[in-house]
């Protein structure tokens, strides 16, 4: 098992030396949602290429920066540079931004992502709050893969996703009059999009949205004591639910379309938290 503390001590120290403040809340930006970082006051941006052991982001729509920003009187760490399993990185590498956030004393984290709509009532442009991830039985598998120390002590009652955070996000949507779906976010490993048959299976298991990130990050967050929530931008009908072939271009275009609502929702949430 990888010990995140030992493996990434140098990484955390390099970031800690440069930070303008200890962030209280972290926001990880998903595919096509990176612009959010420009909508708040940036105090300092650290390029992830300058951080030792930080994996290179290879996906279009994911720039590599850790931004230290202010909004609504809150000190934020905004991660623009998510690391994906399908890029060839291990789950412990994927969890590195969360590890850094927790070591800098962040207490809350919002993971955002682009996802395919599996629930037939969902349409591109919808926003979805995760009420669960892949059912419940992926957790013990992730424990070993991510490399959590002392997981036994922390594993008994993980509030995952955090009910407090989810309630705030629901209230933020109500206040902003944004229609917010709620559902189960389902992780697939990628890199290719799912087949229609796989989507049928995920539907049967109760998945509402499908994507290639977030679940392991959320699990790591909760395990190290961060309150975590996940907001998905439904960028497309999942495979088989529309006659069109799914492309990364479509994902980026829908994210572009919905980014105003996304920005309002996240900003209001930050204010309420
Ligand atoms: N499947 C997996 N990941 C995704 C999708 C999808 O349909 N859309 C955006 N990310």
């Amino acid at each position: 098992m990888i010990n995140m503390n030992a493996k990434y001590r140098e990484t955390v120290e390099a970031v800690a030396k440069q930070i303008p403040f200890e962030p209280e809340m972290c926001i990880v930006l998903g595919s096509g949602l990176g612009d959010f970082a420009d909508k708040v006051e940036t105090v300092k941006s650290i390029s992830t290429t300058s951080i030792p052991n930080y994996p290179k982001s290879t996906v279009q729509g994911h720039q590599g920066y850790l931004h230290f920003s202010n909004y609504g009187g809150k000190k934020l760490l905004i991660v623009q540079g998510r690391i994906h399993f399908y890029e060839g990185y291990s789950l412990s590498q994927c969890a590195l931004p969360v590890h850094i956030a927790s070591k800098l004393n962040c207490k809350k984290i919002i993971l955002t992502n682009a996802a395919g709509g599996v629930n037939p009532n969902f349409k591109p442009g919808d926003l979805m709050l995760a009420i669960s991830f892949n059912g419940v039985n992926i957790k013990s598998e992730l424990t070993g893969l991510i490399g959590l120390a002392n997981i036994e002590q922390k594993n008994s009652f993980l509030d995952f996703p955090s009910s407090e955070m989810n309630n705030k996000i629901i209230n933020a949507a109500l206040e902003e009059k944004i229609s917010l779906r709620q559902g189960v976010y389902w992780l697939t490993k990628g890199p290719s999009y799912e087949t229609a048959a796989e989507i049928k299976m995920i539907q049967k298991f109760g998945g509402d949205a499908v994507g290639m990130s977030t679940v392991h990050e959320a699990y790591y967050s909760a395990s190290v004591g961060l309150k975590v929530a996940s907001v998905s931008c439904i960028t497309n009908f999942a495979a088989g639910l529309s006659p069109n072939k799914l492309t990364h271009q479509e994902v980026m275009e829908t994210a572009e379309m919905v980014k105003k609502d996304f920005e309002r929702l996240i900003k209001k949430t930050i204010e309420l938290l």
Side-chain angles (χ1 to χ4, degrees), residues 25 71-72 74 175-176 266-273:
M25 201 185 302
Y71 180 75
K74 307 274 183 353
E175 283 195 27
E176 288 295 315
I266 301 300
K267 279 187 165 172
K268 182 53 81 179
T269 303
I270 295 168
E271 289 168 23
L272 295 181
L273 274 167

Coordinates of all heavy atoms in Angstrom, one line a residue, residues 25 71-72 74 175-176 266-273:
M25 N -11.6 26.0 1.8 CA -12.5 25.2 0.9 C -11.8 25.0 -0.4 O -11.1 25.9 -0.9 CB -13.7 26.0 0.7 CG -14.9 25.2 0.2 SD -16.3 26.3 -0.2 CE -16.5 27.2 1.3
Y71 N -13.4 34.4 -2.5 CA -14.8 34.7 -2.9 C -15.7 34.7 -1.7 O -15.6 33.7 -0.9 CB -15.3 33.8 -4.1 CG -16.7 34.2 -4.4 CD1 -16.9 35.3 -5.2 CD2 -17.8 33.5 -3.9 CE1 -18.2 35.7 -5.5 CE2 -19.1 33.9 -4.2 CZ -19.3 35.1 -5.0 OH -20.6 35.5 -5.3
G72 N -16.6 35.6 -1.6 CA -17.6 35.6 -0.5 C -17.0 35.5 0.8 O -17.6 34.9 1.7
K74 N -14.5 33.9 1.7 CA -13.9 32.6 1.9 C -12.5 32.5 1.1 O -12.4 33.0 0.0 CB -14.8 31.5 1.4 CG -16.2 31.6 2.0 CD -16.3 30.9 3.3 CE -17.7 30.8 3.9 NZ -18.8 31.5 3.4
E175 N -32.2 29.2 -4.0 CA -32.0 30.7 -4.0 C -31.7 31.3 -5.3 O -32.2 32.3 -5.7 CB -30.9 31.0 -3.0 CG -31.3 30.9 -1.6 CD -30.4 31.7 -0.6 OE1 -29.7 32.6 -1.0 OE2 -30.3 31.2 0.6
E176 N -30.9 30.5 -6.1 CA -30.6 31.0 -7.4 C -31.6 30.6 -8.5 O -31.4 30.9 -9.7 CB -29.2 30.5 -7.8 CG -28.0 31.1 -7.1 CD -27.8 32.6 -7.4 OE1 -27.9 33.0 -8.5 OE2 -27.7 33.4 -6.4
I266 N -22.2 27.5 -7.8 CA -21.0 27.3 -7.0 C -20.8 28.5 -6.1 O -20.4 28.4 -4.9 CB -19.8 26.9 -7.8 CG1 -20.0 25.6 -8.6 CG2 -18.5 26.7 -7.0 CD1 -20.4 24.4 -7.8
K267 N -20.9 29.7 -6.7 CA -20.7 30.9 -6.0 C -21.7 31.0 -4.8 O -21.3 31.3 -3.7 CB -20.9 32.1 -6.9 CG -19.6 32.4 -7.7 CD -19.8 33.7 -8.4 CE -18.4 34.2 -8.9 NZ -18.5 35.4 -9.8
K268 N -22.9 30.7 -5.1 CA -23.9 30.8 -4.0 C -23.6 29.8 -2.9 O -23.7 30.0 -1.7 CB -25.4 30.6 -4.5 CG -26.5 30.7 -3.6 CD -26.5 32.0 -2.7 CE -27.1 33.2 -3.4 NZ -27.1 34.4 -2.6
T269 N -23.2 28.6 -3.3 CA -22.8 27.5 -2.4 C -21.7 28.0 -1.5 O -21.7 27.8 -0.2 CB -22.4 26.2 -3.1 OG1 -23.5 25.8 -3.9 CG2 -22.1 25.1 -2.1
I270 N -20.7 28.6 -2.1 CA -19.5 29.1 -1.3 C -20.0 30.1 -0.3 O -19.6 30.1 0.9 CB -18.5 29.7 -2.2 CG1 -17.9 28.7 -3.1 CG2 -17.4 30.4 -1.4 CD1 -17.0 29.3 -4.3
E271 N -21.0 31.0 -0.7 CA -21.5 32.0 0.2 C -22.2 31.3 1.4 O -22.1 31.8 2.5 CB -22.5 32.9 -0.5 CG -21.8 33.9 -1.5 CD -22.8 34.6 -2.4 OE1 -24.0 34.7 -2.0 OE2 -22.4 35.0 -3.5
L272 N -22.9 30.3 1.1 CA -23.7 29.6 2.2 C -22.9 28.7 3.1 O -23.4 28.4 4.2 CB -24.9 28.8 1.5 CG -25.9 29.5 0.7 CD1 -27.0 28.6 0.2 CD2 -26.6 30.6 1.6
L273 N -21.8 28.2 2.6 CA -21.1 27.2 3.4 C -20.3 27.9 4.6 O -19.8 29.0 4.5 CB -20.1 26.5 2.5 CG -20.7 25.3 1.8 CD1 -19.8 24.8 0.7 CD2 -21.0 24.1 2.7

